[in-house]
Amino acid sequence: MIEVIQGDITRLEVDAIVNAANSSLLGGGGVDGAIHRAGGSAILEECKVIRALQGGCMPGQAVITTAGKLPAQKVIHTVGPVWHGGQQQEAETLASCYTSSLNVAIQNNLKTIAFPNISTGVYGYPKKEAATLAVETVRSFINQHPDALEQVIFVCFEADNAALYRKLLEE
Ligand code: AR6
């Protein structure tokens, strides 16, 4: 039920892809830039509506929009923690990104969901620690919600991340 793919998350035909956004929800670089570029302006338009309603998205929270022109049905935008050395609740916030996104997915009856390696790019979270936490958090969510989801995919852009996840999932 948990899979690893190395590649571009914007190509996936799943119910939802997760975006590693920032609190403004107005787009940025990395996977956020790739999703907005490939999905078109409809995603940003819905992000602006959410901003007007709730003033953006706090780290650890998640919101949902259309996926525009992407092959996925929906985009779930979450905001990871910026890594400050590990003493500023980065782990709690990152775990919350995964659980919040999965909760949004099940609330919307979305069964297949793909995650990028949240916070491990510009936000600087150490890759190994992030991968360990992501796998633990998703496994425990699936145990607590055994019939809610069909597939969770970790989409790794880089080979080192893909290797980390493959090793963790073998354990
Ligand atoms: N598909 C899958 N993964 C990707 C793709 C892609 N197309 N492009 C990049 N990645 P980052 P963060 C990987 O920096 O650290 C943005 O500006 C990338 O290699 O995108 O959470 C936002 O607006 C890395 O492994 O996200 C925020 O300001 C992972 O996605 C800030 O960056 C996450 O890297 C968020 O930083």
Side-chain angles (χ1 to χ4, degrees), residues 1-5 12 14-16 102 105-106 110-115 134-135 137-155 165 169-170:
M1 189 171 160
I2 305 182
E3 272 184 51
V4 185
I5 291 180
L12 294 195
V14 286
D15 294 342
L102 292 168
I106 62 175
L110 304 169
K111 307 245 175 224
T112 57
I113 176 166
F115 283 98
V135 169
T137 306
V138 168
R139 276 185 171 146
S140 124
F141 189 95
I142 290 170
N143 286 336
Q144 285 161 29
H145 304 82
D147 300 316
L149 297 161
E150 282 167 13
Q151 191 183 34
V152 179
I153 306 173
F154 290 112
V155 184
Y165 276 85
L169 290 171
E170 278 166 15

Side-chain angles (χ1 to χ4, degrees), residues 57-166:
C57 184
M58 297 277 284
Q61 304 289 300
V63 298
I64 187 166
T65 67
T66 176
K69 294 185 285 185
L70 295 173
Q73 298 300 311
K74 292 283 184 184
V75 176
I76 296 172
H77 305 259
T78 190
V79 181
V82 176
W83 180 257
H84 289 293
Q87 302 304 310
Q88 295 191 30
Q89 299 194 309
E90 291 95 329
E92 289 83 349
T93 305
L94 186 60
S96 173
C97 288
Y98 286 93
T99 51
S100 301
S101 299
L102 292 168
N103 274 317
V104 167
I106 62 175
Q107 281 154 17
N108 288 275
N109 204 27
L110 304 169
K111 307 245 175 224
T112 57
I113 176 166
F115 283 98
N117 305 140
I118 302 162
S119 278
T120 65
V122 176
Y123 282 179
Y125 205 108
K127 291 180 180 182
K128 189 173 181 197
E129 284 78 357
T132 306
L133 187 72
V135 169
E136 269 174 15
T137 306
V138 168
R139 276 185 171 146
S140 124
F141 189 95
I142 290 170
N143 286 336
Q144 285 161 29
H145 304 82
D147 300 316
L149 297 161
E150 282 167 13
Q151 191 183 34
V152 179
I153 306 173
F154 290 112
V155 184
C156 303
F157 209 50
E158 297 125 10
D160 57 346
N161 263 328
L164 274 171
Y165 276 85
R166 290 206 174 99

Side-chain angles (χ1 to χ4, degrees), residues 44-68:
L44 185 59
E45 291 313 312
E46 286 194 15
C47 284
K48 286 180 180 167
V49 172
I50 294 166
R51 261 174 74 84
L53 286 171
Q54 64 175 60
C57 184
M58 297 277 284
Q61 304 289 300
V63 298
I64 187 166
T65 67
T66 176

